[in-house]
Amino acid sequence: MATENRAAPLLAKALGIVLGTDEIPLRLRAWDGSEAGPPDAPVLEFRSRRALRRILWSPGQLGLSRAYVAGDIDAPGDIFAAFAALSSAGKFSEPGPFRPLTPRELATLLSTAVRLGAVGPNPTPPPEEAKVTRKGPLHTRQRDAAAISHHYDVGNDFYALVLGASMAYSCAVWGEGSYTDNNGLPAGLDGAQKAKLDLVCRKLGLKPGMRVLDVGCGWGSFALHAAQSYGATVVGVTLSSEQAVFARKRAAEAGLTERIDIRVQDYRDIDDGPFDAISSIGMSEHVGREQMPHYAQMLHGLLRPGGRLLNHAISWNAGPTKPDPDSFIPRYVFPDGEMLSLGEVVTALEGGGFEILDVEALRRHYALTLRAWVRRLETNWDEAVGLTSLGRARIWRLYMASSALGFEAGLTGVNQVLVQRAGGDQPPLRRTDWI
C-alpha cells in the first residue's frame, strides 16, 4: 500500500495511463490529503480509493463519469476550468470511444492500484444510470418513450430551478453585448429565451388563426408564446407525462386551453393534419440517424402546401466518428440520443420533399445558455439536491458544464434549419423582410 500522504503522485501516474498522457494539466488531491501536479492548475479531488477502482474496471470516460456522479471524484473549484483541463488531456480530446489499454498499460495500472489499496470488486454503478435496454432495435416507440422518461421525468420543480421562468430547454438567443453581468457571467436568460421563441415564430411566419404543430413541446413554452403573441392555435406533443401535465397547467393559467392542445403522443402517430406550420425545437436529436428520413417525410405530410417547418437541433461538428454507448451522455443523460451533422439533417429534409429557406448557426448562443443554467444550478445547489438526488444534480452539473465546453470548442453546434413545403404562399424575396 502507498506510503501515508503519498497517494497523489501514484494516482497521477494511474490517471495518466488512462488518459494516454505523461502530464496531466490538473492539480490532483488524493483521499490521504496529498497533492500532485501543477500548483496553479484546476483541482480534481479523488475522495476515496473507490474512484480509482471504478476507473480500473471501466478505464475511460464511463469510469470517470461514474466516479463523479457517485461523489468519489469532485471538482471543488471552477468546474469549467477543471473539465477543460481534463478534456485537453490525451484521449479525452478525441471523439468516439476510448482506445483500449494495451496489456502493458493495463498491467501498470493494476500494479499502481494494488500499491494504492484500490483493488477490489467492481463498484455498483450510481442508481441514476439509465436503465433503458440496449437490446433490440433503436427508436421503437416503447424504447423512445423509456429514454425520454429517463431524461425528462425527474421533476418539474428541478427543471424550473435550472431553466428559470421560461422553462425553455433549448438554446436561447442572446443580443450582442447584452449577455453578461458585472462579473462577466451570463445574464438575462429569460429574455434570451423569449427572443429565441419569438425568432422561431417570425421564421415560421405565424399569424392569427394559423394551426401550428409543436413536435417535442417540452413544458409548453413555444406553444404559449405562439398562442399569446401571435394568435396561433397550437397542438403540442411530448412523450413525457410530467411535461404534459406542466404544459397543460400553464395553458390553463393563461386562459388558453381552447387554443393549446398538449398531448402525450409519439410524432409518428399524429394523424390530424394539415398544419400551417411546424416547430421542432430540440427534438430531432431523439429521432436517430436511421429514422431521420421518415421523420422528414412524416412532417412534410402533416404540412399544408406552402407551410414551413423549423428544425432546431444540436449538430455534431467533429467529423465522422463511431458513437460510444459507454460514454457519459448515453449512460446518464440522453439514452439512444444521436447527434447528426448539419449536412445529414439538410439532406434528410430535402429528401423528404422540403425546400431549404434558411440555415442559422447558434453555437455560441448555446454555450452561453449552458453556462447560465450551470450558474442557476450551483446558486441553488441545496434546493436542487432536495428536489431530486445528489447524484442527479451532479449529472446535470457535469452534463451542462462539459456541453458548454463542447460548444465553445466547436465539437458541437446548434442550427435552425427553416424549410418549406412546395406550393402556397412564398416568403418575401429578401431574408431581412421575413425573419
Side-chain angles (χ1 to χ4, degrees):
M1 190 175 293
T3 305
E4 186 70 16
N5 295 328
R6 292 293 297 160
L10 287 173
L11 186 59
K13 179 180 179 180
L15 191 58
I17 292 170
V18 172
L19 297 176
T21 181
D22 293 330
E23 296 196 15
I24 302 172
L26 288 161
R27 184 70 175 173
L28 295 185
R29 182 179 298 152
W31 51 85
D32 65 351
S34 62
E35 296 188 4
D40 57 346
V43 174
L44 191 65
E45 185 176 77
F46 280 66
R47 292 178 167 177
S48 73
R49 293 177 174 84
R50 187 171 54 247
L52 183 55
R53 192 185 309 163
R54 291 186 187 278
I55 296 170
L56 184 65
W57 280 95
S58 301
Q61 193 183 109
L62 180 60
L64 284 162
S65 299
R66 284 173 169 169
Y68 180 80
V69 173
D72 300 326
I73 291 177
D74 201 12
D78 183 347
I79 192 170
F80 291 99
F83 290 159
L86 186 61
S87 297
S88 70
K91 290 182 286 184
F92 250 101
S93 62
E94 303 171 7
F98 266 46
R99 172 183 63 81
L101 299 181
T102 66
R104 182 175 180 178
E105 288 173 330
L106 193 56
T108 304
L109 180 60
L110 181 59
S111 173
T112 304
V114 169
R115 293 182 64 188
L116 288 169
V119 176
N122 190 3
T124 302
E128 292 84 4
E129 192 164 302
K131 303 299 190 297
V132 177
T133 179
R134 306 175 83 185
K135 298 179 181 179
L138 292 172
H139 303 296
T140 63
R141 284 166 172 77
Q142 183 178 3
R143 184 160 170 167
D144 278 354
I148 292 298
S149 178
H150 170 83
H151 186 79
Y152 293 102
D153 291 342
V154 298
N156 292 328
D157 291 341
F158 173 78
Y159 274 105
L161 195 75
V162 174
L163 303 180
S166 70
M167 287 300 285
Y169 189 29
S170 55
C171 173
V173 174
W174 304 80
E176 192 66 42
S178 65
Y179 48 75
T180 56
D181 61 16
N182 293 334
N183 298 315
L185 296 170
L189 175 62
D190 293 338
Q193 288 291 12
K194 182 178 180 180
K196 183 272 301 296
L197 297 173
D198 204 62
L199 179 63
V200 174
C201 290
R202 296 199 311 274
K203 287 183 177 182
L204 289 174
L206 297 192
K207 298 175 183 177
M210 290 181 69
R211 187 167 185 252
V212 180
L213 173 63
D214 187 19
V215 184
C217 66
W219 292 272
S221 300
F222 172 79
L224 283 167
H225 189 75
Q228 286 177 322
S229 300
Y230 287 83
T233 298
V234 186
V235 173
V237 298
T238 176
L239 293 178
S240 167
S241 297
E242 290 196 20
Q243 284 186 334
V245 169
F246 191 92
R248 289 167 186 155
K249 184 174 182 290
R250 294 177 79 187
E253 291 174 346
L256 293 169
T257 53
E258 293 185 1
R259 287 171 37 203
I260 296 178
D261 176 20
I262 302 296
R263 309 172 184 171
V264 178
Q265 186 178 33
D266 192 292
Y267 76 93
R268 289 164 287 197
D269 296 328
I270 301 169
D271 60 2
D272 57 337
F275 294 90
D276 298 303
I278 300 177
S279 64
S280 178
I281 306 173
M283 179 272 178
S284 65
E285 297 92 331
H286 299 287
V287 170
R289 181 170 280 106
E290 291 187 3
Q291 289 287 323
M292 194 64 188
H294 176 67
Y295 163 87
Q297 293 165 8
M298 277 286 305
L299 298 188
H300 183 273
L302 289 170
L303 266 177
R304 66 164 176 80
R308 301 178 200 172
L309 158 70
L310 184 131
N311 194 82
H312 173 126
I314 298 172
S315 63
W316 179 249
N317 293 349
T321 183
K322 183 180 179 181
D324 183 3
D326 287 331
S327 59
F328 170 66
I329 294 293
R331 285 280 189 157
Y332 284 94
V333 185
F334 289 116
D336 295 342
E338 295 181 76
M339 290 187 293
L340 278 60
S341 70
L342 173 60
E344 288 177 297
V345 172
V346 169
T347 297
L349 291 171
E350 286 187 321
F354 286 109
E355 175 190 1
I356 307 297
L357 295 181
D358 184 71
V359 178
E360 183 174 6
L362 298 172
R363 176 183 63 82
R364 293 166 60 199
H365 294 262
Y366 216 165
L368 288 166
T369 305
L370 286 156
R371 282 183 176 267
W373 288 342
V374 171
R375 186 186 187 191
R376 287 187 57 85
L377 176 62
E378 292 181 336
T379 300
N380 301 285
W381 184 257
D382 291 342
E383 186 178 354
V385 171
L387 288 170
T388 175
S389 69
L390 178 59
R392 185 73 64 186
R394 292 175 69 84
I395 288 169
W396 255 249
R397 185 173 183 242
L398 173 58
Y399 152 57
M400 294 188 297
S402 59
S403 294
L405 295 171
F407 282 104
E408 289 167 356
L411 294 174
T412 48
V414 62
N415 305 285
Q416 289 188 347
V417 182
L418 181 65
V419 297
Q420 184 173 34
R421 178 170 173 168
D425 298 333
Q426 297 298 305
L429 291 175
R430 298 178 58 195
R431 181 180 186 274
T432 52
D433 292 333
W434 54 277
I435 291 182

